[in-house]
Amino acid sequence: MALVLILQLLTLWPLCHADLTSTVPPALYPKPWLGAQPAAIVTPGVNVTLRCQAPQPAWRFALFKSGEITPVLYRDVSMELAEFFLEEVTPAQGGCYHCCYRNPGWNLGVWSHPSDTLELLVTDQLPPPSLVALPGPVVAPDANVSLRCAGRLRGMSFALYRVGVAAPLQYRDSAEPWADFPLRGASAPGTYSCYYHTPSSPYVLSLRSEPLLISADGSGSLDYMQGNLVRLGLAGLVLISLGTLVVFDWRSQSCAQAVSGPEPQRTGHRCLAV
């Protein structure tokens, strides 16, 4: 990726600086600003306007696309703004664009420094984001967890979903290529997914992320199991005690019957008549 960017810069540099010399201060050639309307990420068929804004009066603007030797478009205007119209864009028109301008007082063939790169993305669907749990997918009831939904583009809107719930749990607009969704530990266990989309119309949505399972801390389950074992042990002791009482009661009844019978003494019998 770095090699591709270097090659793009090496391609654009001679195009926008054909006649620059070391004796001319670079401050005389400040770079313009390049923006896209309605957005830099659009679906195919949308009309896109690339606006090149110069910081000083200019009389000619040029729009360059990375990878192409000659400018894509020219505009001759006696002002500080030029608009380049791309009608019903196709995915092939997506890519990295720069613009330059010329000042009437400059020498013939001298162009300004190129603007910062503008990436125009023409697609029906954005790539899926990743979803991870911070600090981890196992959370204690009294702790919190943060779910990070990370895409590949800055300035997107993010939505978090939970399996079994139709509406999004949370929304986030982020200047970074990710957004964090905080959750309370007691209610966090469940399965989640997320997606992102362009913040304004025309909306372009991403695919859903892979599902992420958040589970409760196992120490709580272990304590519950130990509590159950203690309760089962106590119940067992109670049953043994009841069984012992039943046996004693039965033996007592046997002795009483033996005393009231005709033969109060019987060999081998533990009860004696009085």
Side-chain angles (χ1 to χ4, degrees), residues 1-11 66:
M1 184 63 182
L3 180 59
V4 173
L5 292 176
I6 293 174
L7 292 175
Q8 290 176 354
L9 291 175
L10 291 177
T11 302
S66 299

Side-chain angles (χ1 to χ4, degrees), residues 31-37 51-55 81-82 99 101 115-116:
K31 65 183 180 181
W33 173 85
L34 183 62
Q37 294 292 332
R51 301 164 60 102
C52 186
Q53 178 76 51
L81 176 66
C99 72
Y101 67 94
S115 66
D116 291 336

Side-chain angles (χ1 to χ4, degrees), residues 235-249:
L237 290 176
V238 171
L239 290 176
I240 293 174
S241 299
L242 290 175
T244 303
L245 292 175
V246 170
V247 170
F248 277 126
D249 181 69

Side-chain angles (χ1 to χ4, degrees), residues 256-272:
Q257 293 176 358
V259 170
S260 60
E263 297 180 359
Q265 295 188 2
R266 182 175 298 176
T267 304
H269 202 288
R270 294 176 56 187
C271 298
L272 297 175

